[in-house]
Amino acid sequence: MRASATIVAMLCGCARAQGTAVVVPPRQPPPSLAPLSERGDVEIGLGAVTAAVSGALVGVGTYEALRAVRVRSICTGQTADPELDPTIVCTGPLGGDPFVAAVVSSSLSFAFAVPIAVASGFLLRRGIVTRRAWKAAAKNKMSFRPWSNGQTQFGMTFGLAF
């Protein structure tokens, strides 16, 4: 009985309310990410790093492919090099086939290099487009830059480009 009376009182109290008690601020657009990378420096830097990683992976893949060819020629007896012992070269440390290991390593290196190279291209393209847009928008060639050492000195630097 008390529970139903409480519920009815709450419903009646809510029905008499004139407005909401919570003030909601007006909806604002999300903050722009342009100040973080307005000149395209971040994209160009990341694109260069990913291009270097992709190049390194292609280099490792090429080395492993050449090593696989060399191991295969030694193990089949096509190379008569007295310095190489086929029993050592043709057996992996865990008893596996080193030719298969080199081929798998080469394939994985090339397979990972492709998407990294594509990502590098996208990053470099975006960085270049952003840099061109920033340079086109920089019609005002004067700049004022405040500076401070954090404690006692402060000032303003005036820059002029022509």
Side-chain angles (χ1 to χ4, degrees):
M1 175 78 173
R2 278 187 166 171
S4 62
T6 305
I7 293 174
V8 170
M10 287 173 47
L11 290 175
C12 291
C14 292
R16 288 190 308 228
Q18 297 295 326
T20 60
V22 177
V23 177
V24 180
R27 185 163 175 84
Q28 304 216 353
S32 175
L33 296 177
L36 182 65
S37 175
E38 65 185 17
R39 295 181 300 178
D41 294 339
V42 174
E43 289 86 357
I44 291 173
L46 286 174
V49 168
T50 54
V53 168
S54 177
L57 284 173
V58 168
V60 167
T62 303
Y63 171 77
E64 289 294 330
L66 293 174
R67 189 173 76 93
V69 169
R70 183 172 167 253
V71 165
R72 179 58 71 173
S73 68
I74 291 170
C75 292
T76 57
Q78 295 174 358
T79 303
D81 192 358
E83 294 180 8
L84 298 174
D85 185 13
T87 59
I88 295 174
V89 175
C90 297
T91 306
L94 298 176
D97 187 8
F99 173 74
V100 173
V103 168
V104 168
S105 176
S106 174
S107 301
L108 285 173
S109 294
F110 287 134
F112 282 113
V114 170
I116 292 174
V118 170
S120 172
F122 284 138
L123 283 167
L124 287 172
R125 181 182 181 278
R126 179 171 171 110
I128 290 170
V129 167
T130 306
R131 174 65 59 101
R132 285 183 184 161
W134 176 74
K135 282 187 176 183
K139 293 178 184 176
N140 186 4
K141 304 229 177 186
M142 276 194 293
S143 65
F144 294 100
R145 287 179 232 119
W147 56 269
S148 172
N149 72 348
Q151 295 177 356
T152 58
Q153 297 177 346
F154 61 93
M156 183 166 291
T157 303
F158 173 70
L160 180 63
F162 40 115

